[in-house]
Amino acid sequence: MVLAQLGGSISRALQQMSNATMIDEKVLNDCLNDITRALLQSDVQFKLVGDMQTNIKKIVNFDDLAAGHNKRKIIQQAIFNELCKILDPGKPAFTLKKGETSVVMFVGLQGSGKTTTCTKYAHYHQKKGWKPALVCADTFRAGAFDQLKQNATKAKIPFYGRPNGLRGNFITDFVMIDQELVYTESDPVRIAVEGVERFKKENCDLIIVDTSGRHKQEAALFEEMCQVSEATKPDLVIFVMDSSIGQAAFDQAQAFKQSVAVGAVIVTKMDGHAKGGGALSAVAATKSPVIFIGTGELTDEFEVFDVKPFVSRLLG
Ligand code: GDP
């Protein structure tokens, strides 16, 4: 179910409840069942939806509610609050300070939109007067450096990296994995450290490190991520997640969180056929806030994510 449909289903459920002549436990249950169904179809994790339903039933206790209480309002408010609660981990992301050097490391699976999002994030801050720089520590995917270079050049952001497989002047060995040319001997940790050091010297205040993804969660990916993290000591690790990955969102986000200190989430591809539920699951799994969403392939198709307006929109 795409985000707009999810919003439509939830507001329809609320409307049906509002139309009922009398609000009793059955009407509330019907409404909650409809909302539950809509959230599950949007890939919100099963447990989150179950917890939400239990909490709302606790808040809206018909025995305690005196006659004359506006039950509709109380139920609507409870649903709003519970949805906000899923999206609000209770602590904001680490606040970067303009003028002071911060290192931000991006992690996520290959294809999630990580490299694109690095440039979007840099561009967003550049427009606000920061001095960002991009480091390509993705030596796994052939073409990653060229992509970052192309994006960075277009957005006029300094970048650092090496074409895949080039170490000094030597082309290293390569293998074919999933029909992709993958070079085996490039050293992402070294490249990351070199890039960060260079841009610190150049007084950049936002040094963004793009790391390798893999097609799926695997030990080699997490090991490399940990090494880059230990070597560059990022102030913030951002987990980038494709909003269309479905029910896998929770487990995927949790696996990343268990390997590196994820402090914020960016959900990409919220345009088109995006499902909204993944965002809710990623927050719950990482206990980190969604800070931006990607809404297209272009550099400025990028929005700050605010919980309350997002949920208000969802409820219609
Ligand atoms: P990476 O492998 O994680 O670095 O992913 P890329 O940055 O190469 O992105 C994979 C594909 O997703 C590319 O075709 C991007 O243009 C596209 N993409 C990234 N973010 C968005 C987004 O917010 N919306 C849409 N529609 N496409 C996106």
Side-chain angles (χ1 to χ4, degrees):
M1 186 180 282
V2 302
L3 201 55
Q5 282 172 341
L6 170 66
S9 301
I10 294 180
S11 54
R12 238 184 341 271
L14 290 173
Q15 191 58 48
Q16 262 169 19
M17 180 194 68
S18 288
N19 291 344
T21 29
M22 201 184 75
I23 309 277
D24 57 14
E25 216 151 344
K26 182 182 177 311
V27 173
L28 172 64
N29 282 339
D30 288 347
C31 174
L32 288 181
N33 286 340
D34 287 345
I35 292 175
T36 299
R37 209 170 303 122
L39 288 169
L40 289 175
Q41 280 170 5
S42 296
D43 294 330
V44 183
Q45 198 212 15
F46 190 76
K47 183 176 179 310
L48 289 180
V49 179
D51 289 349
M52 174 180 159
Q53 199 165 14
T54 312
N55 290 345
I56 293 171
K57 281 186 181 167
K58 258 190 228 153
I59 294 162
V60 188
N61 185 332
F62 285 95
D63 296 335
D64 293 347
L65 282 182
H69 264 132
N70 190 337
K71 291 176 193 144
R72 284 180 186 84
K73 262 230 161 95
I74 292 171
I75 292 171
Q76 277 168 349
Q77 192 61 46
I79 291 169
F80 179 83
N81 290 346
E82 284 302 311
L83 283 172
C84 287
K85 229 162 80 185
I86 297 179
L87 279 161
D88 183 358
K91 61 174 176 27
F94 173 77
T95 318
L96 311 173
K97 290 205 186 86
K98 203 193 285 182
E100 288 176 18
T101 307
S102 296
V103 176
V104 178
M105 175 174 153
F106 276 66
V107 299
L109 284 192
Q110 189 164 311
S112 60
K114 200 164 24 65
T115 302
T116 310
T117 306
C118 283
T119 313
K120 288 179 173 183
Y121 186 76
H123 179 67
Y124 172 88
H125 285 88
Q126 192 183 45
K127 278 194 301 188
K128 293 194 171 293
W130 294 64
K131 206 181 155 198
L134 290 160
V135 179
C136 177
D138 181 355
T139 53
F140 183 81
R141 178 163 66 95
F145 173 73
D146 288 335
Q147 187 190 345
L148 187 101
K149 181 176 158 186
Q150 202 175 21
N151 292 347
T153 308
K154 227 167 155 182
K156 296 192 174 60
I157 296 161
F159 61 92
Y160 183 84
R162 299 219 198 119
N164 290 53
L166 283 181
R167 237 187 175 187
N169 290 322
F170 302 102
I171 297 177
T172 55
D173 295 337
F174 60 83
V175 290
M176 290 293 284
I177 296 180
D178 290 347
Q179 296 182 330
E180 252 187 358
L181 211 54
V182 175
Y183 296 97
T184 53
E185 284 200 6
S186 20
D187 183 355
V189 179
R190 214 167 112 183
I191 294 175
V193 170
E194 282 170 3
V196 168
E197 278 173 4
R198 172 177 169 165
F199 290 126
K200 275 186 179 168
K201 276 191 202 125
E202 293 181 10
N203 292 325
C204 292
D205 53 6
L206 181 59
I207 304 171
I208 298 160
V209 181
D210 186 14
T211 61
S212 301
R214 295 286 192 275
H215 293 298
K216 55 182 172 54
Q217 293 151 225
E218 55 186 73
L221 164 68
F222 293 127
E223 204 178 300
E224 182 178 314
M225 244 167 40
C226 291
Q227 286 173 3
V228 174
S229 174
E230 273 164 27
T232 56
K233 305 213 168 4
D235 299 282
L236 176 64
V237 177
I238 298 179
F239 169 59
V240 178
M241 196 191 76
D242 181 337
S243 60
S244 62
I245 62 163
Q247 281 286 347
F250 188 90
D251 289 345
Q252 187 187 111
Q254 198 172 45
F256 276 86
K257 174 79 177 182
Q258 279 162 359
S259 293
V260 277
V262 171
V265 178
I266 295 180
V267 183
T268 62
K269 310 183 193 180
M270 291 289 272
D271 49 307
H273 300 291
K275 296 187 180 195
L280 281 73
S281 301
V283 171
T286 60
K287 300 193 174 46
S288 308
V290 177
I291 51 172
F292 289 97
I293 53 171
T295 55
E297 298 196 23
L298 301 176
T299 304
D300 56 3
E301 288 176 320
F302 194 56
E303 293 175 16
V304 172
F305 182 81
D306 277 328
V307 174
K308 283 185 178 164
F310 178 82
V311 175
S312 296
R313 234 172 33 215
L314 214 57
L315 299 185

